[in-house]
Amino acid sequence: MAIVGQGYVGLPLAMAAVNAGWTVIGIDNFEAKVSQINSGKSPVEDISDVQLQAALKSGAYKATAEFSEVADASVITICVPTPLDDKREPNLSLLQSAATEIAPFVSNETLVVSESTSYPGTLRDIIIPTVESLKPKDSVKVYYASAPERVNPGDPIWNQKNTPRLVGAIDKESKSRAVAFYQSICDAVVSVSTPEVAEAAKLLENTFRLVNIAMVNELNQICTAAGINIHEVIDAASTKPYGFMPFRPGVGVGGHCIPVDPLYLAWWARQLGSRALFVESAGSINYLMPKYVAQRAIGLVDPSIKNPKILILGVAYKPGVGDVRETPVSELRDHLLLSGADVAWHDPLVPTWKGSNSVDLNWQCDVAILATRQPGMNLERLIAKGVNILDCTNSLNGQSGVTAL
Ligand SMILES: NC(=O)c1ccc[n+]([C@@H]2O[C@H](COP(=O)([O-])OP(=O)(O)OC[C@H]3O[C@@H](n4cnc5c(N)ncnc54)[C@H](O)[C@@H]3O)[C@@H](O)[C@H]2O)c1
Protein backbone atom coordinates (compact mmCIF):
# COMPACT_ATOMS: atom_id res chain seq x y z
CA MET A 1 0.00 0.00 0.00
CA ALA A 2 1.00 3.63 -0.36
CA ILE A 3 0.16 6.40 2.11
CA VAL A 4 0.35 10.00 0.93
CA GLY A 5 1.36 12.28 3.83
CA GLN A 6 3.61 10.96 6.61
CA GLY A 7 2.49 13.08 9.54
CA TYR A 8 0.44 12.53 12.69
CA VAL A 9 -2.04 10.42 10.71
CA GLY A 10 -0.02 8.86 7.89
CA LEU A 11 3.00 7.57 9.81
CA PRO A 12 1.04 5.78 12.58
CA LEU A 13 -1.18 4.30 9.84
CA ALA A 14 1.94 3.09 8.05
CA MET A 15 3.20 1.37 11.21
CA ALA A 16 -0.22 -0.18 11.88
CA ALA A 17 -0.29 -1.50 8.30
CA VAL A 18 3.24 -2.91 8.61
CA ASN A 19 2.16 -4.68 11.81
CA ALA A 20 -0.78 -6.13 9.89
CA GLY A 21 1.54 -7.57 7.25
CA TRP A 22 1.38 -4.90 4.53
CA THR A 23 4.39 -3.60 2.64
CA VAL A 24 4.05 0.16 2.87
CA ILE A 25 5.42 3.09 0.88
CA GLY A 26 5.08 6.37 2.76
CA ILE A 27 4.99 9.32 0.38
CA ASP A 28 5.60 12.86 1.54
CA ASN A 29 6.45 15.92 -0.54
CA PHE A 30 8.54 17.40 2.30
CA GLU A 31 11.94 15.92 1.46
CA ALA A 32 13.55 16.77 4.79
CA LYS A 33 10.85 14.75 6.55
CA VAL A 34 11.39 11.82 4.17
CA SER A 35 15.13 11.84 4.98
CA GLN A 36 14.44 12.10 8.70
CA ILE A 37 12.04 9.15 8.61
CA ASN A 38 14.40 7.01 6.50
CA SER A 39 17.21 7.76 8.95
CA GLY A 40 15.05 6.17 11.67
CA LYS A 41 14.08 9.34 13.52
CA SER A 42 10.33 9.55 14.03
CA PRO A 43 8.74 12.99 13.54
CA VAL A 44 5.67 12.10 15.65
CA GLU A 45 5.43 11.24 19.36
CA ASP A 46 3.14 8.26 18.88
CA ILE A 47 5.76 6.34 16.90
CA SER A 48 9.04 5.60 18.65
CA ASP A 49 12.36 5.59 16.83
CA VAL A 50 12.72 1.91 17.76
CA GLN A 51 9.41 1.01 16.11
CA LEU A 52 10.22 3.03 13.01
CA GLN A 53 13.71 1.55 12.73
CA ALA A 54 12.32 -1.99 13.02
CA ALA A 55 9.86 -1.31 10.19
CA LEU A 56 12.59 0.20 8.00
CA LYS A 57 14.98 -2.67 8.73
CA SER A 58 12.38 -5.34 7.92
CA GLY A 59 12.04 -3.87 4.43
CA ALA A 60 8.26 -3.57 4.93
CA TYR A 61 8.38 0.22 5.04
CA LYS A 62 10.20 3.12 3.48
CA ALA A 63 9.44 6.79 2.94
CA THR A 64 9.87 8.54 -0.38
CA ALA A 65 9.05 11.81 -2.13
CA GLU A 66 8.51 9.93 -5.43
CA PHE A 67 4.83 9.76 -6.32
CA SER A 68 5.58 7.29 -9.14
CA GLU A 69 6.04 4.64 -6.43
CA VAL A 70 2.26 4.43 -5.95
CA ALA A 71 2.24 2.37 -9.17
CA ASP A 72 3.13 -0.67 -7.03
CA ALA A 73 0.26 -0.16 -4.60
CA SER A 74 -3.12 -1.89 -4.61
CA VAL A 75 -4.34 0.55 -1.94
CA ILE A 76 -3.50 4.27 -1.75
CA THR A 77 -4.63 6.31 1.24
CA ILE A 78 -4.45 10.10 1.28
CA CYS A 79 -3.55 11.61 4.69
CA VAL A 80 -2.56 15.20 3.90
CA PRO A 81 -3.55 18.32 5.85
CA THR A 82 -6.86 20.07 5.21
CA PRO A 83 -6.28 23.52 6.72
CA LEU A 84 -8.06 26.87 6.41
CA ASP A 85 -7.27 29.67 4.01
CA ASP A 86 -6.89 33.39 4.80
CA LYS A 87 -10.67 33.74 4.99
CA ARG A 88 -10.86 30.86 7.52
CA GLU A 89 -12.52 28.70 4.85
CA PRO A 90 -11.55 25.18 3.63
CA ASN A 91 -8.22 25.05 1.82
CA LEU A 92 -8.12 21.80 -0.13
CA SER A 93 -5.06 22.68 -2.19
CA LEU A 94 -2.88 20.00 -0.53
CA LEU A 95 -5.57 17.36 -0.99
CA GLN A 96 -6.05 18.44 -4.58
CA SER A 97 -2.32 18.32 -5.26
CA ALA A 98 -1.99 14.88 -3.63
CA ALA A 99 -4.75 13.56 -5.93
CA THR A 100 -3.13 15.23 -8.94
CA GLU A 101 0.31 13.78 -8.12
CA ILE A 102 -0.83 10.18 -7.63
CA ALA A 103 -3.27 10.08 -10.57
CA PRO A 104 -0.78 9.45 -13.43
CA PHE A 105 0.64 6.42 -11.59
CA VAL A 106 -2.51 4.71 -10.32
CA SER A 107 -2.64 1.09 -11.46
CA ASN A 108 -5.65 -0.87 -12.61
CA GLU A 109 -7.94 -2.06 -9.77
CA THR A 110 -6.36 0.23 -7.16
CA LEU A 111 -8.39 1.37 -4.18
CA VAL A 112 -7.97 5.10 -3.43
CA VAL A 113 -9.11 6.17 0.05
CA SER A 114 -9.25 9.63 1.53
CA GLU A 115 -8.56 9.73 5.27
CA SER A 116 -8.18 13.52 5.45
CA THR A 117 -10.94 15.38 7.26
CA SER A 118 -13.09 17.48 4.94
CA TYR A 119 -16.66 18.51 4.15
CA PRO A 120 -19.11 16.01 2.67
CA GLY A 121 -18.64 15.70 -1.08
CA THR A 122 -14.86 16.06 -1.06
CA LEU A 123 -14.21 12.51 -2.29
CA ARG A 124 -16.91 12.59 -4.96
CA ASP A 125 -16.53 16.18 -6.16
CA ILE A 126 -12.77 16.74 -5.88
CA ILE A 127 -10.67 13.60 -5.52
CA ILE A 128 -12.53 11.33 -7.94
CA PRO A 129 -12.75 13.82 -10.86
CA THR A 130 -9.06 14.67 -10.40
CA VAL A 131 -7.87 11.06 -10.43
CA GLU A 132 -10.27 10.00 -13.19
CA SER A 133 -9.14 12.80 -15.50
CA LEU A 134 -5.40 12.21 -14.99
CA LYS A 135 -5.12 8.44 -14.52
CA PRO A 136 -3.29 6.39 -17.18
CA LYS A 137 -5.46 5.18 -20.03
CA ASP A 138 -4.80 1.53 -19.29
CA SER A 139 -5.87 2.00 -15.69
CA VAL A 140 -9.43 0.99 -16.46
CA LYS A 141 -10.89 0.81 -13.00
CA VAL A 142 -10.13 2.66 -9.78
CA TYR A 143 -12.14 2.11 -6.58
CA TYR A 144 -12.86 4.94 -4.15
CA ALA A 145 -13.79 5.30 -0.50
CA SER A 146 -13.68 7.77 2.34
CA ALA A 147 -12.46 6.53 5.74
CA PRO A 148 -11.85 9.57 7.97
CA GLU A 149 -9.00 9.12 10.41
CA ARG A 150 -9.90 9.28 14.12
CA VAL A 151 -6.41 9.09 15.62
CA ASN A 152 -5.90 11.00 18.87
CA PRO A 153 -2.17 11.79 19.15
CA GLY A 154 -0.72 11.12 22.60
CA ASP A 155 -3.60 8.83 23.60
CA PRO A 156 -2.19 5.77 25.40
CA ILE A 157 -5.40 3.74 24.94
CA TRP A 158 -7.01 4.48 21.59
CA ASN A 159 -5.05 3.99 18.38
CA GLN A 160 -5.51 3.07 14.75
CA LYS A 161 -5.98 -0.61 15.54
CA ASN A 162 -8.57 -0.50 18.30
CA THR A 163 -10.55 2.57 17.19
CA PRO A 164 -13.52 1.52 14.99
CA ARG A 165 -13.09 2.82 11.46
CA LEU A 166 -15.88 4.41 9.42
CA VAL A 167 -15.88 3.49 5.75
CA GLY A 168 -18.13 5.01 3.08
CA ALA A 169 -17.60 4.01 -0.55
CA ILE A 170 -19.01 5.04 -3.90
CA ASP A 171 -20.17 1.61 -5.04
CA LYS A 172 -20.44 -2.03 -3.95
CA GLU A 173 -17.03 -3.14 -5.20
CA SER A 174 -15.26 -0.12 -3.68
CA LYS A 175 -17.05 -0.81 -0.42
CA SER A 176 -16.05 -4.47 -0.22
CA ARG A 177 -12.41 -3.63 -1.01
CA ALA A 178 -12.27 -0.75 1.47
CA VAL A 179 -13.94 -2.77 4.24
CA ALA A 180 -11.56 -5.70 3.62
CA PHE A 181 -8.57 -3.36 3.68
CA TYR A 182 -9.51 -1.72 6.99
CA GLN A 183 -10.47 -5.08 8.49
CA SER A 184 -6.87 -6.10 7.89
CA ILE A 185 -5.55 -3.29 10.11
CA CYS A 186 -8.41 -2.33 12.47
CA ASP A 187 -10.30 -4.39 15.03
CA ALA A 188 -13.68 -3.03 13.88
CA VAL A 189 -14.94 -1.47 10.66
CA VAL A 190 -18.27 0.36 10.42
CA SER A 191 -19.60 0.56 6.91
CA VAL A 192 -21.90 3.50 6.11
CA SER A 193 -24.01 4.01 2.99
CA THR A 194 -22.01 6.77 1.25
CA PRO A 195 -18.68 8.62 1.52
CA GLU A 196 -20.66 11.73 2.41
CA VAL A 197 -22.06 10.05 5.55
CA ALA A 198 -18.52 9.13 6.66
CA GLU A 199 -17.25 12.66 5.91
CA ALA A 200 -20.18 14.27 7.77
CA ALA A 201 -19.76 11.91 10.75
CA LYS A 202 -16.15 13.02 11.15
CA LEU A 203 -17.24 16.68 11.20
CA LEU A 204 -19.95 15.84 13.73
CA GLU A 205 -17.45 14.09 16.03
CA ASN A 206 -15.10 17.05 16.18
CA THR A 207 -17.85 19.68 16.26
CA PHE A 208 -19.39 17.80 19.19
CA ARG A 209 -16.16 18.40 21.11
CA LEU A 210 -15.99 22.05 20.07
CA VAL A 211 -19.49 22.94 21.23
CA ASN A 212 -19.22 21.04 24.51
CA ILE A 213 -15.89 22.67 25.33
CA ALA A 214 -17.40 26.06 24.48
CA MET A 215 -20.40 25.43 26.69
CA VAL A 216 -18.25 24.52 29.67
CA ASN A 217 -15.91 27.47 29.02
CA GLU A 218 -18.93 29.77 29.06
CA LEU A 219 -20.34 28.12 32.18
CA ASN A 220 -16.95 28.47 33.87
CA GLN A 221 -17.05 32.23 33.45
CA ILE A 222 -20.55 32.35 34.92
CA CYS A 223 -19.65 30.05 37.84
CA THR A 224 -16.45 31.99 38.57
CA ALA A 225 -18.43 35.25 38.73
CA ALA A 226 -20.78 33.54 41.18
CA GLY A 227 -17.94 32.14 43.32
CA ILE A 228 -18.76 28.51 42.43
CA ASN A 229 -16.08 25.98 41.52
CA ILE A 230 -16.92 24.69 38.01
CA HIS A 231 -15.04 21.44 38.56
CA GLU A 232 -17.15 20.58 41.57
CA VAL A 233 -20.21 21.29 39.41
CA ILE A 234 -18.92 19.04 36.61
CA ASP A 235 -17.99 16.29 39.08
CA ALA A 236 -21.46 16.52 40.58
CA ALA A 237 -23.20 16.36 37.19
CA SER A 238 -20.98 13.42 36.24
CA THR A 239 -22.56 11.27 38.92
CA LYS A 240 -25.61 11.00 36.64
CA PRO A 241 -25.15 7.57 35.10
CA TYR A 242 -26.66 8.42 31.72
CA GLY A 243 -27.08 11.37 29.34
CA PHE A 244 -24.10 13.40 30.57
CA MET A 245 -20.46 13.52 29.49
CA PRO A 246 -17.92 15.71 31.31
CA PHE A 247 -15.89 18.36 29.48
CA ARG A 248 -13.49 20.70 31.29
CA PRO A 249 -12.76 24.40 30.76
CA GLY A 250 -9.36 25.47 29.46
CA VAL A 251 -7.46 28.07 27.47
CA GLY A 252 -9.47 27.28 24.33
CA VAL A 253 -9.16 24.70 21.59
CA GLY A 254 -6.13 23.89 19.44
CA GLY A 255 -4.59 21.41 17.05
CA HIS A 256 -5.33 20.56 13.49
CA CYS A 257 -8.87 19.30 14.15
CA ILE A 258 -11.14 20.87 16.78
CA PRO A 259 -10.68 24.57 15.83
CA VAL A 260 -10.60 23.78 12.10
CA ASP A 261 -13.12 21.06 11.27
CA PRO A 262 -16.20 22.91 12.59
CA LEU A 263 -15.31 25.73 10.18
CA TYR A 264 -15.52 23.17 7.37
CA LEU A 265 -18.99 22.35 8.67
CA ALA A 266 -19.97 26.02 8.85
CA TRP A 267 -18.66 26.62 5.30
CA TRP A 268 -20.51 23.56 4.00
CA ALA A 269 -23.73 24.87 5.60
CA ARG A 270 -23.28 28.22 3.82
CA GLN A 271 -22.82 26.45 0.47
CA LEU A 272 -26.20 24.85 1.07
CA GLY A 273 -27.79 28.25 1.76
CA SER A 274 -27.96 27.53 5.47
CA ARG A 275 -26.04 28.61 8.59
CA ALA A 276 -24.45 26.62 11.40
CA LEU A 277 -25.18 29.33 13.97
CA PHE A 278 -24.71 27.14 17.02
CA VAL A 279 -21.30 25.98 15.78
CA GLU A 280 -20.21 29.52 14.88
CA SER A 281 -21.22 30.73 18.33
CA ALA A 282 -19.22 27.93 20.01
CA GLY A 283 -16.20 28.90 17.91
CA SER A 284 -16.50 32.52 19.07
CA ILE A 285 -16.72 31.56 22.76
CA ASN A 286 -13.58 29.41 22.52
CA TYR A 287 -11.81 32.10 20.53
CA LEU A 288 -12.32 34.57 23.39
CA MET A 289 -11.03 32.22 26.09
CA PRO A 290 -7.32 33.16 25.85
CA LYS A 291 -8.25 36.79 26.57
CA TYR A 292 -10.31 35.72 29.59
CA VAL A 293 -7.43 33.57 30.87
CA ALA A 294 -4.99 36.47 30.42
CA GLN A 295 -7.30 38.76 32.42
CA ARG A 296 -7.68 36.16 35.18
CA ALA A 297 -3.90 35.72 35.42
CA ILE A 298 -3.22 39.46 35.54
CA GLY A 299 -5.90 39.72 38.22
CA LEU A 300 -3.75 37.50 40.44
CA VAL A 301 -0.82 39.93 40.33
CA ASP A 302 -0.32 42.81 42.75
CA PRO A 303 -1.80 45.82 40.84
CA SER A 304 1.21 47.96 41.80
CA ILE A 305 3.35 45.84 39.44
CA LYS A 306 3.09 47.59 36.06
CA ASN A 307 4.82 44.98 33.89
CA PRO A 308 4.23 41.64 35.59
CA LYS A 309 6.46 38.70 34.76
CA ILE A 310 4.24 35.84 33.62
CA LEU A 311 5.41 32.29 32.97
CA ILE A 312 3.25 30.12 30.70
CA LEU A 313 3.54 26.41 31.47
CA GLY A 314 2.82 24.23 28.43
CA VAL A 315 2.34 25.77 24.99
CA ALA A 316 1.40 22.65 22.96
CA TYR A 317 -2.32 22.44 22.31
CA LYS A 318 -2.67 19.34 24.50
CA PRO A 319 -0.63 17.20 26.90
CA GLY A 320 1.81 14.59 25.65
CA VAL A 321 2.54 16.16 22.28
CA GLY A 322 4.87 18.89 21.04
CA ASP A 323 2.27 20.03 18.48
CA VAL A 324 1.67 23.80 18.58
CA ARG A 325 -0.64 24.03 15.54
CA GLU A 326 -3.54 26.39 16.29
CA THR A 327 -2.60 26.31 19.99
CA PRO A 328 -4.76 28.81 21.92
CA VAL A 329 -1.68 29.55 24.04
CA SER A 330 -0.50 31.66 21.13
CA GLU A 331 -3.41 34.09 21.60
CA LEU A 332 -2.96 33.89 25.37
CA ARG A 333 0.64 35.04 24.98
CA ASP A 334 -0.43 37.85 22.62
CA HIS A 335 -3.03 39.12 25.10
CA LEU A 336 -0.51 39.05 27.95
CA LEU A 337 2.06 40.95 25.88
CA LEU A 338 -0.58 43.49 24.87
CA SER A 339 -1.33 44.04 28.55
CA GLY A 340 2.31 44.96 29.11
CA ALA A 341 3.42 41.68 30.70
CA ASP A 342 6.91 40.27 30.38
CA VAL A 343 6.12 36.72 29.18
CA ALA A 344 8.24 33.57 29.11
CA TRP A 345 7.17 29.97 28.54
CA HIS A 346 8.22 26.48 29.50
CA ASP A 347 7.33 23.26 27.65
CA PRO A 348 9.46 20.10 27.91
CA LEU A 349 8.15 18.88 24.53
CA VAL A 350 8.55 22.17 22.61
CA PRO A 351 12.15 23.43 22.49
CA THR A 352 11.47 26.53 20.36
CA TRP A 353 8.28 28.41 19.55
CA LYS A 354 7.55 31.79 17.98
CA GLY A 355 11.25 32.58 17.74
CA SER A 356 11.95 32.00 21.43
CA ASN A 357 13.16 29.11 23.58
CA SER A 358 11.57 27.29 26.45
CA VAL A 359 12.90 28.69 29.75
CA ASP A 360 13.50 26.55 32.83
CA LEU A 361 11.27 26.61 35.86
CA ASN A 362 13.66 28.88 37.76
CA TRP A 363 12.49 31.86 35.67
CA GLN A 364 11.31 34.39 38.27
CA CYS A 365 7.65 35.28 37.74
CA ASP A 366 4.80 37.07 39.46
CA VAL A 367 2.32 34.47 38.28
CA ALA A 368 2.47 31.25 36.28
CA ILE A 369 -0.32 30.00 34.03
CA LEU A 370 -0.56 26.23 33.72
CA ALA A 371 -2.00 26.08 30.20
CA THR A 372 -1.07 22.50 29.22
CA ARG A 373 0.15 19.94 31.77
CA GLN A 374 2.97 18.18 29.96
CA PRO A 375 4.42 14.95 31.28
CA GLY A 376 7.76 15.61 32.98
CA MET A 377 6.86 19.09 34.28
CA ASN A 378 8.23 19.38 37.80
CA LEU A 379 5.54 21.69 39.18
CA GLU A 380 6.07 20.62 42.78
CA ARG A 381 9.17 22.82 42.80
CA LEU A 382 7.17 25.88 41.74
CA ILE A 383 4.50 25.17 44.31
CA ALA A 384 7.14 24.70 47.03
CA LYS A 385 8.63 28.10 46.06
CA GLY A 386 5.20 29.67 46.66
CA VAL A 387 4.63 30.77 43.06
CA ASN A 388 1.04 31.80 42.30
CA ILE A 389 -0.34 29.49 39.61
CA LEU A 390 -3.51 29.87 37.55
CA ASP A 391 -4.34 26.25 36.78
CA CYS A 392 -6.23 25.83 33.49
CA THR A 393 -5.87 22.04 33.59
CA ASN A 394 -7.69 21.04 36.79
CA SER A 395 -4.62 19.06 37.80
CA LEU A 396 -3.27 20.97 40.83
CA ASN A 397 -6.49 21.11 42.84
CA GLY A 398 -6.33 22.51 46.33
CA GLN A 399 -2.56 23.03 46.44
CA SER A 400 -1.22 26.16 48.03
CA GLY A 401 -0.87 29.16 45.72
CA VAL A 402 -3.00 27.48 43.03
CA THR A 403 -6.13 29.14 41.63
CA ALA A 404 -8.39 27.06 39.39
CA LEU A 405 -9.40 28.69 36.10
N1 LIG B 1 -3.51 15.12 13.75
C1 LIG B 1 -4.66 14.59 14.17
O1 LIG B 1 -4.88 14.43 15.36
C2 LIG B 1 -5.73 14.15 13.19
C3 LIG B 1 -6.71 13.26 13.62
C4 LIG B 1 -7.68 12.84 12.73
C5 LIG B 1 -7.68 13.35 11.43
N2 LIG B 1 -6.73 14.23 11.04
C6 LIG B 1 -6.77 14.70 9.66
O2 LIG B 1 -5.80 13.98 8.93
C7 LIG B 1 -5.24 14.82 7.91
C8 LIG B 1 -3.72 14.88 8.06
O3 LIG B 1 -3.40 15.49 9.30
P1 LIG B 1 -2.00 15.30 10.02
O4 LIG B 1 -2.21 15.77 11.41
O5 LIG B 1 -1.46 13.93 9.80
O6 LIG B 1 -1.09 16.33 9.23
P2 LIG B 1 0.51 16.48 9.33
O7 LIG B 1 0.81 17.88 8.97
O8 LIG B 1 1.02 15.91 10.61
O9 LIG B 1 1.06 15.53 8.17
C9 LIG B 1 0.72 15.69 6.84
C10 LIG B 1 1.92 15.37 5.98
O10 LIG B 1 1.50 15.48 4.62
C11 LIG B 1 2.56 16.06 3.87
N3 LIG B 1 1.97 16.64 2.66
C12 LIG B 1 1.25 17.78 2.54
N4 LIG B 1 0.82 17.92 1.28
C13 LIG B 1 1.25 16.84 0.60
C14 LIG B 1 1.10 16.42 -0.74
N5 LIG B 1 0.38 17.12 -1.60
N6 LIG B 1 1.69 15.27 -1.10
C15 LIG B 1 2.41 14.54 -0.20
N7 LIG B 1 2.57 14.88 1.07
C16 LIG B 1 1.98 16.02 1.48
C17 LIG B 1 3.20 17.05 4.81
O11 LIG B 1 4.54 17.29 4.44
C18 LIG B 1 3.09 16.31 6.14
O12 LIG B 1 4.25 15.56 6.44
C19 LIG B 1 -5.94 16.17 8.04
O13 LIG B 1 -7.05 16.21 7.18
C20 LIG B 1 -6.41 16.15 9.48
O14 LIG B 1 -7.54 16.98 9.67
C21 LIG B 1 -5.73 14.62 11.88
Side-chain angles (χ1 to χ4, degrees):
M1 70 169 296
I3 302 172
V4 186
Q6 290 295 277
Y8 281 93
V9 165
L11 189 60
L13 176 68
M15 295 302 108
V18 167
N19 287 343
W22 287 86
T23 300
V24 181
I25 303 157
I27 297 173
D28 203 290
N29 63 1
F30 184 20
E31 299 213 6
K33 191 179 238 181
V34 169
S35 308
Q36 180 186 341
I37 292 173
N38 284 334
S39 74
K41 212 166 161 354
S42 171
V44 299
E45 294 85 359
D46 286 346
I47 300 299
S48 70
D49 293 351
V50 173
Q51 186 182 3
L52 175 61
Q53 286 159 15
L56 289 163
K57 202 168 158 212
S58 71
Y61 172 73
K62 71 167 184 182
T64 177
E66 283 301 325
F67 284 85
S68 58
E69 300 222 20
V70 302
D72 292 333
S74 54
V75 179
I76 304 172
T77 65
I78 302 177
C79 306
V80 300
T82 41
L84 300 170
D85 65 14
D86 294 347
K87 290 188 277 174
R88 310 277 296 161
E89 291 184 349
N91 172 0
L92 296 189
S93 60
L94 300 175
L95 198 58
Q96 177 86 59
S97 87
T100 303
E101 298 267 23
I102 60 167
F105 307 107
V106 170
S107 304
N108 189 24
E109 304 246 294
T110 297
L111 170 69
V112 173
V113 186
S114 177
E115 294 205 4
S116 292
T117 306
S118 188
Y119 55 82
T122 299
L123 179 79
R124 209 184 290 272
D125 301 339
I126 293 181
I127 297 175
I128 296 179
T130 304
V131 176
E132 286 296 312
S133 66
L134 298 171
K135 71 182 185 184
K137 285 195 180 58
D138 58 353
S139 160
V140 284
K141 181 73 187 160
V142 181
Y143 303 99
Y144 296 98
S146 170
E149 178 54 65
R150 289 168 151 175
V151 74
N152 184 21
D155 190 325
I157 298 169
W158 296 104
N159 53 48
Q160 249 119 350
K161 185 166 187 314
N162 64 7
T163 304
R165 174 70 73 145
L166 291 182
V167 172
I170 55 160
D171 53 34
K172 247 172 130 179
E173 186 55 32
S174 298
K175 175 175 158 179
S176 78
R177 284 169 187 254
V179 167
F181 168 67
Y182 283 103
Q183 275 171 343
S184 76
I185 55 173
C186 302
D187 294 344
V189 175
V190 181
S191 172
V192 295
S193 61
T194 63
E196 289 76 19
V197 171
E199 290 163 333
K202 174 70 192 181
L203 293 188
L204 169 62
E205 291 164 19
N206 284 353
T207 305
F208 170 83
R209 285 187 58 74
L210 178 97
V211 298
N212 279 287
I213 292 167
M215 183 179 67
V216 90
N217 277 333
E218 185 176 70
L219 187 64
N220 181 39
Q221 296 178 47
I222 298 165
C223 283
T224 302
I228 296 173
N229 182 319
I230 180 85
H231 295 291
E232 197 182 346
V233 174
I234 297 167
D235 291 343
S238 300
T239 60
K240 185 179 177 187
Y242 57 91
F244 183 79
M245 185 181 282
F247 286 80
R248 300 280 167 179
V251 182
V253 289
H256 188 3
C257 298
I258 308 301
V260 175
D261 302 349
L263 295 179
Y264 273 63
L265 181 65
W267 179 87
W268 179 51
R270 290 198 295 277
Q271 303 318 295
L272 296 168
S274 185
R275 287 287 296 278
L277 293 175
F278 193 61
V279 178
E280 289 175 15
S281 172
S284 309
I285 291 167
N286 287 329
Y287 182 72
L288 291 173
M289 276 311 285
K291 188 172 184 188
Y292 173 76
V293 173
Q295 286 165 347
R296 289 279 307 275
I298 288 167
L300 294 174
V301 178
D302 183 335
S304 67
I305 303 173
K306 284 280 158 286
N307 304 102
K309 290 170 83 74
I310 301 184
L311 176 61
I312 302 175
L313 303 164
V315 299
Y317 80 92
K318 69 172 184 175
V321 298
D323 192 348
V324 291
R325 288 180 294 181
E326 303 272 333
T327 176
V329 183
S330 178
E331 278 81 38
L332 170 61
R333 181 174 173 269
D334 292 346
H335 286 298
L336 293 169
L337 290 171
L338 266 177
S339 314
D342 176 6
V343 185
W345 58 274
H346 167 82
D347 192 314
L349 298 183
V350 183
T352 60
W353 176 61
K354 291 182 160 264
S356 60
N357 295 334
S358 177
V359 299
D360 72 22
L361 292 178
N362 290 323
W363 197 80
Q364 287 297 329
C365 62
D366 298 302
V367 66
I369 303 172
L370 179 56
T372 304
R373 178 95 192 243
Q374 291 286 29
M377 264 182 184
N378 187 359
L379 299 178
E380 290 66 31
R381 251 181 46 213
L382 278 188
I383 293 167
K385 269 174 39 187
V387 173
N388 276 331
I389 302 177
L390 177 65
D391 177 15
C392 307
T393 66
N394 189 34
S395 68
L396 298 176
N397 289 343
Q399 304 207 47
S400 107
V402 174
T403 304
L405 176 67

